[in-house]
Amino acid sequence: MEADTPTRPPVISFYRMLQNLPDFVRNPIPSLNRYLWASGDTFLLFLTPGTKAMVTTRPELIQYVLQKNHRNYKKSYLQTEHLAHFIGRGLLTSNGAYWLQQRRLIQPGFHRKKLAGLMGIMNREIDKYLEQWHERARKGESVEIAHEMMLLTFNVVSRSLFSTGVAVSTLNRLSQNFNAIQSFIVKPIRQPYLIPWYKLTGEWKKHERIAADLKEIVLSIIRQRKQSEERHDDLLDMLLEARYEDTGEGMTDQQLLEECLILLVAGHETTANAMAWAWYLLGRHPEAVDKLRTEIGSVLGKKAPGFDTLPQLEYVNSVLQEVMRLYPPAWILDRIPIEDDEFEGLSLPKGRIIGLYIYGIHHDPQYWPEPEKFDPDRFTKDATRQRPSFAYLPFGGGPRLCIGANFAMMEMQMMLVRILQHFEMTLEQDVPVGLAPYISLQPDREIYIKLRSI
Ligand code: HEM
């Protein structure tokens, strides 16, 4: 019977992929969008002459893979292996039983109420930054916003993890090392056939040495903390105090190290890129800035936001959601079926990579009329209720939903509010900025912003 035959999605031929290869390697998003336009919401493409991968933007299929039948899916080697090689096996890079055990252990530390305790740390880091910016505004300097957001989010996440007792110079060294590794890792993911070349030229070894330096620094912070009697109420205290239910034991130093490294990696570049895009979009939409200022003025005046006032800032929240719709930092996720599977007649064979193309879903006109338009009102409570839940997933979905989603939203809301309370921000040049999809989605060029203290 026809209905029993698994549906065959269209295939992008190897020849067509080969024709597009240089463009695809540089920036896969335009090609993926073209394939979607020609083939519908789900298609197959060739990763190598013999290996096909599936790409989909269908919310129901994504929900099936991430949530309804998640036990049959794991992350692919593309997402985990290289990062794990350099940084280790933490939550982001592990799979199966080990992932579940770690997630159960760490999850309570990211509960909203626990995060309230980190607000003081976040506010302090943001305020330190504002002082530097006032100084630069006095001198008439502009700031390159993606770079600044990268520094600020690294400070926020590293101080949330290690609070006090770590020198600024140590954090700077950590930040530089992380940036070096994150920019390198994208190369073997995009062009795995060049790995022997990176090994031959010494690039690979060089980054292994950088990773070793990182690990040494973080391990020594962990060991010092274990010896100290002082409480810090930061994320490291939470990791040190967490106990496995079955044994009552805590994590080993190696596990603590790997989880700290993963939190630093996962928790800084994504947020920084979302904020860089936010300032770019707000620079082009002064009407949204006016609405933000009105809301912030009426809820907070000049006061810093607190745990009880953040939920009242509904427009701030809508702006950030719309930023991550247009520019989702995690622009694609992937999963592999552990056993053969099927979804509504569509065959999902064991071992086939399935790309969950978040950028594509977030720009699908079926769910987002005039998808390229910046319109925060798409995120009013009523409008949100009318969309399928997996049509919007900047933080992923199902049991592997970003553990830092609440942390990131709180941090971004605070950064947006505090900066707007202190500065008028104007784009130095109002020209379109393109996409640079690395591990997270970055602007493809520098964005300079003029600051005026208010
Ligand atoms: C705007 C900021 C952020 C975005 C867009 C983002 C996005 C995501 C997404 C999409 C995933 C799921 C990946 C998958 O299922 O394959 C994820 C996982 C994760 N994120 Fe985030 N993230 C952000 C901020 C953060 C922050 C601030 C932290 C930590 C402080 C963090 C820590 C993690 C961790 C540890 C995982 C792995 C969770 C697991 O597999 O159990 N993220 N993130």
Side-chain angles (χ1 to χ4, degrees):
M1 243 166 61
E2 188 63 30
D4 288 337
T5 315
T7 317
R8 289 181 193 282
V11 184
I12 312 299
S13 72
F14 184 64
Y15 175 67
R16 186 153 169 218
M17 289 285 308
L18 213 55
Q19 276 181 321
N20 277 346
L21 194 61
D23 288 343
F24 194 85
V25 168
R26 202 172 39 249
N27 175 3
I29 288 181
S31 305
L32 290 175
N33 291 348
R34 267 199 310 278
Y35 301 154
L36 272 180
W37 187 72
S39 316
D41 61 18
T42 304
F43 58 86
L44 295 170
L45 51 69
F46 283 88
L47 285 183
T48 66
T51 324
K52 277 186 250 165
M54 181 183 282
V55 176
T56 185
T57 58
R58 196 171 154 200
E60 298 77 12
L61 174 55
I62 293 172
Q63 181 167 22
Y64 179 76
V65 168
L66 288 182
Q67 189 181 56
K68 294 192 173 157
N69 199 23
H70 71 92
R71 281 194 185 80
N72 190 41
Y73 291 85
K74 60 177 184 179
K75 290 188 175 190
S76 84
Y77 62 93
L78 288 174
Q79 241 201 100
T80 54
E81 285 316 305
H82 300 307
L83 196 55
H85 176 77
F86 289 98
I87 302 289
R89 289 249 172 243
L91 271 186
L92 192 72
T93 48
S94 52
N95 269 314
Y98 183 69
W99 164 77
L100 184 60
Q101 166 199 304
Q102 292 302 96
R103 179 85 189 205
R104 284 197 179 134
L105 186 74
I106 297 171
Q107 180 79 53
F110 282 87
H111 191 274
R112 275 188 71 79
K113 289 214 176 92
K114 289 259 177 178
L115 294 181
L118 295 177
M119 279 191 97
I121 299 179
M122 289 189 184
N123 263 327
R124 260 197 310 282
E125 282 311 306
I126 296 170
D127 282 357
K128 267 195 247 162
Y129 229 78
L130 297 182
E131 277 170 38
Q132 291 176 29
W133 274 18
H134 278 301
E135 189 52 37
R136 295 176 72 173
R138 260 193 295 282
K139 292 185 193 154
E141 286 178 17
S142 298
V143 293
E144 200 288 294
I145 203 67
H147 175 69
E148 297 295 323
M149 291 296 110
M150 206 68 104
L151 295 177
L152 178 54
T153 56
F154 188 79
N155 286 355
V156 171
V157 73
S158 56
R159 288 286 178 212
S160 301
L161 198 50
F162 305 134
S163 62
T164 50
V166 182
V168 173
S169 57
T170 308
L171 289 190
N172 288 345
R173 200 161 113 211
L174 276 181
S175 156
Q176 278 162 13
N177 285 356
F178 270 117
N179 290 344
I181 289 182
Q182 277 175 277
S183 340
F184 176 68
I185 280 173
V186 77
K187 297 185 188 176
I189 295 177
R190 288 256 178 96
Q191 292 166 289
Y193 45 87
L194 291 183
I195 292 177
W197 171 251
Y198 296 133
K199 291 193 171 162
L200 199 70
T201 55
E203 278 263 285
W204 194 266
K205 263 259 147 338
K206 179 178 139 193
H207 288 90
E208 283 178 338
R209 278 196 297 273
I210 296 176
D213 187 43
L214 258 181
K215 289 176 189 165
E216 210 173 291
I217 301 173
V218 174
L219 203 52
S220 82
I221 297 174
I222 294 170
R223 289 191 172 141
Q224 273 171 27
R225 175 69 67 88
K226 279 178 115 174
Q227 282 160 10
S228 96
E229 302 280 292
E230 225 181 303
R231 274 201 62 83
H232 295 74
D233 287 325
D234 53 16
L235 290 173
L236 181 55
D237 269 3
M238 174 278 284
L239 293 175
L240 283 164
E241 283 158 17
R243 293 286 174 270
Y244 293 112
E245 253 175 33
D246 49 348
T247 62
E249 301 278 310
M251 282 188 264
T252 63
D253 283 4
Q254 183 62 26
Q255 288 174 311
L256 285 163
L257 168 67
E258 290 178 309
E259 296 302 352
C260 285
L261 292 173
I262 284 298
L263 290 177
L264 289 168
V265 166
H268 111 264
E269 199 188 284
T270 38
T271 320
N273 284 319
M275 287 309 295
W277 288 116
W279 295 118
Y280 164 68
L281 285 167
L282 291 175
R284 307 194 97 196
H285 293 277
E287 72 292 348
V289 177
D290 289 345
K291 277 182 87 169
L292 284 169
R293 288 195 188 286
T294 307
E295 181 178 84
I296 295 168
S298 76
V299 175
L300 296 168
K302 280 278 185 188
K303 281 200 308 250
F307 196 63
D308 48 338
T309 43
L310 275 185
Q312 296 171 40
L313 299 168
E314 286 182 14
Y315 193 67
V316 170
N317 182 56
S318 298
V319 164
L320 290 169
Q321 302 288 3
E322 177 67 345
V323 168
M324 290 191 292
R325 180 191 69 80
L326 277 166
Y327 299 107
W331 59 278
I332 192 163
L333 305 179
D334 72 23
R335 292 294 190 269
I336 295 185
I338 296 168
E339 296 299 338
D340 285 346
D341 198 0
E342 200 184 299
F343 175 75
E344 295 183 357
L346 180 74
S347 156
L348 304 165
K350 171 180 173 176
R352 169 162 295 159
I353 293 185
I354 306 174
L356 312 172
Y357 182 35
I358 296 185
Y359 183 93
I361 312 160
H362 286 191
H363 290 251
D364 186 335
Q366 212 183 322
Y367 312 111
W368 312 99
E370 295 185 77
E372 300 313 316
K373 186 173 153 198
F374 175 69
D375 178 9
D377 291 334
R378 299 179 201 269
F379 288 92
T380 57
K381 285 191 184 114
D382 274 355
T384 303
R385 257 195 298 274
Q386 282 161 29
R387 281 186 295 267
S389 52
F390 279 66
Y392 182 65
L393 63 162
F395 292 110
R400 296 203 74 155
L401 179 85
C402 174
I403 202 169
N406 288 333
F407 179 107
M409 283 312 294
M410 194 168 104
E411 175 187 6
M412 291 193 295
Q413 286 168 335
M414 286 166 62
M415 292 198 300
L416 194 79
V417 168
R418 290 306 273 157
I419 292 175
L420 284 177
Q421 283 173 325
H422 283 254
F423 297 98
E424 227 172 65
M425 316 268 286
T426 335
L427 288 174
E428 210 167 71
Q429 275 185 312
D430 186 7
V431 288
V433 173
L435 306 172
Y438 293 107
I439 289 187
S440 66
L441 185 61
Q442 301 178 13
D444 73 345
R445 63 171 186 80
E446 295 177 327
I447 304 171
Y448 284 93
I449 301 236
K450 279 190 244 163
L451 301 173
R452 197 176 73 79
S453 300
I454 48 177

